[in-house]
Amino acid sequence: MAGVDGVNTSGGAGIWGSSPAGRGVVGVSVNGVGVWGQLKNGRAIVGAVDVEGTGVWAETKKGRALVAAVNGTEDSTAVWAETKNGRSVVGLATNEGVGVWAATRKGRALVAVVDGDEESTAVWAETKRGQAVVGIVDGHGDAIAGTANDSTSNGIFGRNNATSRAPVGGPPVGNGVFGYTEVPNASGVVGAIAAGNTEGAGVCGIGPVAGRFFGDLVVTGDVVVTGDVRLVGADLAEHFATADQVSVEPGTVMVIDGVERVRVSESAYDRRVAGVVSGAGDYRPGVVLDHQGEAAGRQALALVGKVYCKADASFGAIEAGDLLTTSPTPGHAMKADDAARSFGAVLGKAMAPLADGTGLLPILVTLH
């Protein structure tokens, strides 16, 4: 059974609720649908509140809290909710089911407008199990469109407070926002409306900054880039196992010690020189190859690029541009001033001078 059931086969609204304050449309069901609106053209459910409150409130224990379907023109809207302050649409499913279900062949599945303060919410959907918000378009239009006209607001905001995560490569569950599509040129979640071919993306963002992530990004497929890849890190590094699985300080010069294994250098002009442990000073790796997690005794070794390196000027003062090689001081580089011994043992070039003693020296790794 439905808490509120409205059907209109012509034009207008299936359900229309208006209130100066409070809630425009309220539907509560223990088992079934809180609010159900269906029509051919127009707006299936309309909830308008002039001051504070909720445009549409739907709640259910099981099933779908709010269901709206439109099979009409591009001007049709399944759910239209508007309020000055408060929440335009609230769909609560406390057990299993869907908070908000909106479907349309053409037009907009869900429109929620708030013209209010920072405490206002356009769409609030909550569920213990199931899906909080579902938007389906079979035709033209957007299943779910979110627009923010303020730089401090979000067009679409999704959050998952679960303490555990699904395994990598497992089913797509436990997500704040999940977008999926099998239709070419259609996106599951659209981040911005702009001209362009979305190529059937699950999540599509278009704009000066199409996507911004705070935290790790896990990709199980290929990454295709048609523009430049700009990395903040300074070197290209690769993970290697260390002898005896020891942890080595960043900036340490390393030499080959077997297949995929390195150890601290300890002799001059060692042709087994492999690179410098990345991460010393102000430089961090931009790319890390063969990363196998935080396994014990594995180090990111800078093979190309800028890195801070331990150096010893006791064997000759180092000037910017000098070739560097391994030194008798364990883990340190020195000036390569013996051309005959330098071939195959050059670590890189110094980018700054070191007059005497030992210290961290910025170098350009160029193994040869």
Side-chain angles (χ1 to χ4, degrees), residues 44 55 144 156 205 225 236 251 270 310 321 327 345:
I144 299 175
I156 297 175
V225 179
L236 186 152
D270 194 335
K310 293 180 180 180
S327 76

Side-chain angles (χ1 to χ4, degrees), residues 149-170:
N149 294 321
D150 187 287
S151 61
T152 62
S153 301
N154 301 298
I156 297 175
F157 174 76
R159 179 173 58 193
N160 187 298
N161 292 324
T163 57
S164 60
R165 297 184 300 175
V168 175

